[in-house]
Amino acid sequence: MINFFKYTMQSENGAARSLAVPAGVMFFLMLITLFTVSLTLIAAQTESPTVEESTPEVPAVEPIPDEFMPVYTEAAEAYDVPWEMLAAIHRVETSFSNADPMVSEAGAVGHMQFMPCTWTGWSHPSCENLGEGDIPEDVQTDPEAIATYGGYGVDASGNGKADPFDIEDAVHSAAYYLAANGMADGAEEEALFVYNQADWYVEDVLHYAEVYSEEAEDAELVSAEQLP
């Protein structure tokens, strides 16, 4: 016995007509419909979505001013730290001493942006919190006072003062600080993080240092090729 499904459709003149469709045919039509819908859904799911790849922002690299290179290399040799790290810090901190003024909102001072208490020494009575302190200038630049308070300021220029606004003193002091915090032993990232406790800062300095190192190597190759 064949079962029939009653199917009602509307004719062109609007009259309703009833058709008897065998159950097997109706079942077959339903299977085809389900199969078509399934294929459509699968195709939609397997299409590759359009993804906009975000490119991380890379800091622009400024060339190193020629007058600073001897200072970097001398300080690097004195404290056994990479010169390119000093150049990179100088770039990040004050854009090669182009910051005006060279005093940050937090109170960091000079070419390499030392907090006064780090420069003079944290055992100074006024040193607390972030290290801005209340240190008279004659004390802050006195090598003997700095030695007494355990600071990192260095009189590299030999004028009797350890001045964070003197480029030689500032760069040598930065080299001394980095070396004392592990860079001389190869702990570059750790030393940079002590210098400024921010991951973005460490990444930026490492980026600049790598570029400056590569540029120096390329320049050496060019010079060697030009030799007779």
Side-chain angles (χ1 to χ4, degrees):
M1 178 178 179
I2 300 176
N3 294 321
F4 288 85
F5 282 92
K6 189 175 182 181
Y7 177 73
T8 303
M9 62 179 293
Q10 194 172 24
S11 63
E12 293 180 357
N13 60 8
R17 295 178 59 192
S18 296
L19 296 177
V21 180
V25 174
M26 180 60 72
F27 180 73
F28 180 73
L29 291 174
M30 291 175 64
L31 284 179
I32 292 177
T33 302
L34 289 173
F35 182 72
T36 303
V37 172
S38 298
L39 287 179
T40 303
L41 291 174
I42 292 172
Q45 291 176 354
T46 55
E47 287 181 357
S48 298
T50 301
V51 178
E52 294 183 3
E53 295 184 0
S54 58
T55 303
E57 184 177 347
V58 178
V61 178
E62 299 176 22
I64 300 172
D66 293 338
E67 65 266 28
F68 295 133
M69 279 301 300
V71 182
Y72 301 148
T73 54
E74 183 181 335
E77 184 176 350
Y79 294 97
D80 195 24
V81 298
W83 68 265
E84 56 267 28
M85 290 293 180
L86 299 173
I89 290 173
H90 193 191
R91 164 60 185 84
V92 173
E93 292 290 357
T94 59
S95 191
F96 296 123
S97 302
N98 285 313
D100 185 20
M102 285 193 291
V103 179
S104 74
E105 294 181 358
V109 297
H111 298 275
M112 303 295 273
Q113 293 291 280
F114 272 84
M115 293 304 292
C117 289
T118 303
W119 183 272
T120 307
W122 278 85
S123 62
H124 187 276
S126 71
C127 288
E128 58 183 2
N129 299 326
L130 293 177
E132 186 173 2
D134 184 15
I135 307 171
E137 183 178 349
D138 60 335
V139 175
Q140 185 173 318
T141 58
D142 182 0
E144 292 186 4
I146 291 171
T148 299
Y149 294 123
Y152 290 92
V154 173
D155 174 22
S157 61
N159 64 356
K161 292 184 177 181
D163 185 358
F165 292 94
D166 179 294
I167 186 62
E168 291 184 66
D169 293 356
V171 173
H172 278 252
S173 298
Y176 175 30
Y177 187 74
L178 293 169
N181 284 284
M183 187 169 286
D185 299 320
E188 295 179 350
E189 293 187 23
E190 292 82 352
L192 289 174
F193 191 80
V194 174
Y195 201 100
N196 189 327
Q197 297 181 14
D199 291 333
W200 66 263
Y201 179 87
V202 175
E203 292 174 2
D204 281 4
V205 171
L206 290 174
H207 167 71
Y208 284 116
E210 182 179 3
V211 172
Y212 294 144
S213 178
E214 290 175 353
E215 288 179 348
E217 290 177 2
D218 292 342
E220 289 178 1
L221 288 174
V222 171
S223 298
E225 290 173 355
Q226 292 175 347
L227 291 175

